[in-house]
Amino acid sequence: MRTSNDQSVLGVQNYLEKAAQNLKPVVPIKFCISSRTDAGVHALCNSAHLDIQRAPGKPAFSEKQLIYSLNYHLKPEPIRILNAYRVPSSFHARFSALSRTYIYRLLMGCTHYSEIPVFERDLCWAPAGGYLNVPAMQDAAQFLLGTHDFSTFRSLNSETPFQSPVRTIFQADIRPSSGFLSHHYEHRGLEFWELKFRSRSFVYRQVRRMVGALVAVGQGKLTPLHIKKLLEIKDARAFPPNAMAPPSGLFLKSVEYDEADLDATVGPGE
């Protein structure tokens, strides 16, 4: 999200809006981002909507023109525009989303942080203690599926009093994965795993807290049944101290919409 001028770190939204000003709109372009992510969290694919008002007589940008122009001005940054769609004015990047999918990358087999491959730095989490009991974690993840009060699994912030803690988890999977060029160092015995969660929305830091609790199960600090009990307690203070997963391993994978909402023929709005 956009950060203010007095903050030392700029958000992706700041860079997008700066690039969009090169399109010479009549009024400044504001991006409405579908999903906010903490500092240090990555996005394989996020989405946003924007309105562009061009000078009288200027034709509307085509989708290809928009992608090319924005990417040209984003060139120095690790940010890329992948697709653009003309949508009706009723579309909202945040509220029209059907679901959001996050993945969390775990690295097992490291006894010390220095064993993390340099090309994976800040892109995964290697919990202390080496290997984890994955079957126990998979059993525990099943308790997270469905509709629950996730009060125990949210961090408190200024928005907490105004947001319902009830969320529905459609998917909670733990599967083997791979690292960057990891087939070239298989002899090191490192294992990459992905935890995938899909829901229409998540409470603040919910995914990182769910991952942290599942890792605690994998380390034997908690049992799978503890996950069920944590849900039933419905109290953020009951979450195990220092158990929240760090932001570095978390990726917003995708934001899902109804295909009809992305139909370029449905309306004139841009």
Side-chain angles (χ1 to χ4, degrees):
M1 298 295 286
R2 185 193 306 113
T3 55
S4 57
N5 293 333
D6 59 348
Q7 290 181 267
S8 60
V9 178
L10 294 178
V12 171
Q13 186 175 355
N14 295 80
Y15 291 103
L16 291 172
E17 291 177 352
K18 182 180 178 181
Q21 288 309 109
N22 290 287
L23 301 176
K24 297 181 170 54
V26 174
V27 294
I29 294 172
K30 300 298 180 186
F31 282 71
C32 182
I33 311 291
S34 71
S35 299
R36 294 174 290 180
T37 54
D38 294 337
V41 175
H42 315 284
L44 296 175
C45 186
N46 205 338
S47 60
H49 75 257
L50 62 151
D51 296 301
I52 303 175
Q53 185 178 342
R54 302 198 72 190
K58 292 277 189 179
F61 287 109
S62 70
E63 288 88 339
K64 286 186 177 180
Q65 285 176 321
L66 206 54
I67 294 169
Y68 178 85
S69 298
L70 289 174
N71 279 331
Y72 178 82
H73 294 291
L74 287 167
K75 210 167 9 179
E77 308 301 334
I79 305 167
R80 293 294 177 269
I81 307 300
L82 303 178
N83 289 298
Y85 302 89
R86 192 179 306 278
V87 293
S89 57
S90 58
F91 177 86
H92 194 288
R94 182 179 175 189
F95 301 119
S96 297
L98 298 178
S99 62
R100 295 161 174 84
T101 302
Y102 283 87
I103 59 171
Y104 196 100
R105 301 182 68 237
L106 288 178
L107 173 57
M108 302 182 197
C110 293
T111 56
H112 190 265
Y113 74 89
S114 62
E115 297 176 8
I116 300 172
V118 293
F119 295 110
E120 293 289 352
R121 181 183 172 188
D122 297 328
L123 297 174
C124 63
W125 177 30
Y131 296 97
L132 302 173
N133 183 344
V134 174
M137 295 169 64
Q138 292 169 327
D139 289 343
Q142 298 310 298
F143 290 114
L144 299 170
L145 288 171
T147 303
H148 305 283
D149 182 320
F150 281 95
S151 291
T152 307
F153 289 88
R154 71 171 171 181
S155 293
L156 303 179
N157 66 1
S158 59
E159 297 180 7
T160 300
F162 310 104
Q163 288 187 336
S164 168
V166 177
R167 295 291 187 272
T168 301
I169 302 294
F170 304 129
Q171 183 177 12
D173 293 339
I174 305 174
R175 297 180 180 178
S177 185
S178 60
F180 179 68
L181 297 177
S182 58
H183 57 287
H184 289 295
Y185 53 84
E186 290 176 347
H187 62 281
R188 294 177 61 182
L190 303 180
E191 295 181 7
F192 289 88
W193 291 78
E194 281 184 9
L195 289 74
K196 181 187 288 188
F197 301 94
R198 184 168 62 89
S199 175
R200 188 173 187 275
S201 61
F202 297 87
V203 292
Y204 184 47
R205 291 181 174 169
Q206 179 182 343
V207 176
R208 289 172 59 191
R209 286 166 79 96
M210 290 191 300
V211 170
L214 292 176
V215 165
V217 170
Q219 293 171 325
K221 297 176 180 177
L222 299 177
T223 67
L225 199 58
H226 273 118
I227 302 300
K228 182 174 184 289
K229 291 178 179 177
L230 286 172
L231 282 169
E232 293 169 347
I233 292 172
K234 303 175 186 177
D235 185 347
R237 295 167 296 182
F239 189 78
N242 304 314
M244 183 170 67
S248 54
L250 183 57
F251 294 74
L252 173 62
K253 176 184 178 290
S254 57
V255 183
E256 291 81 35
Y257 296 96
D258 187 325
E259 286 294 325
D261 287 339
L262 304 180
D263 186 344
T265 64
V266 291
E270 180 172 3

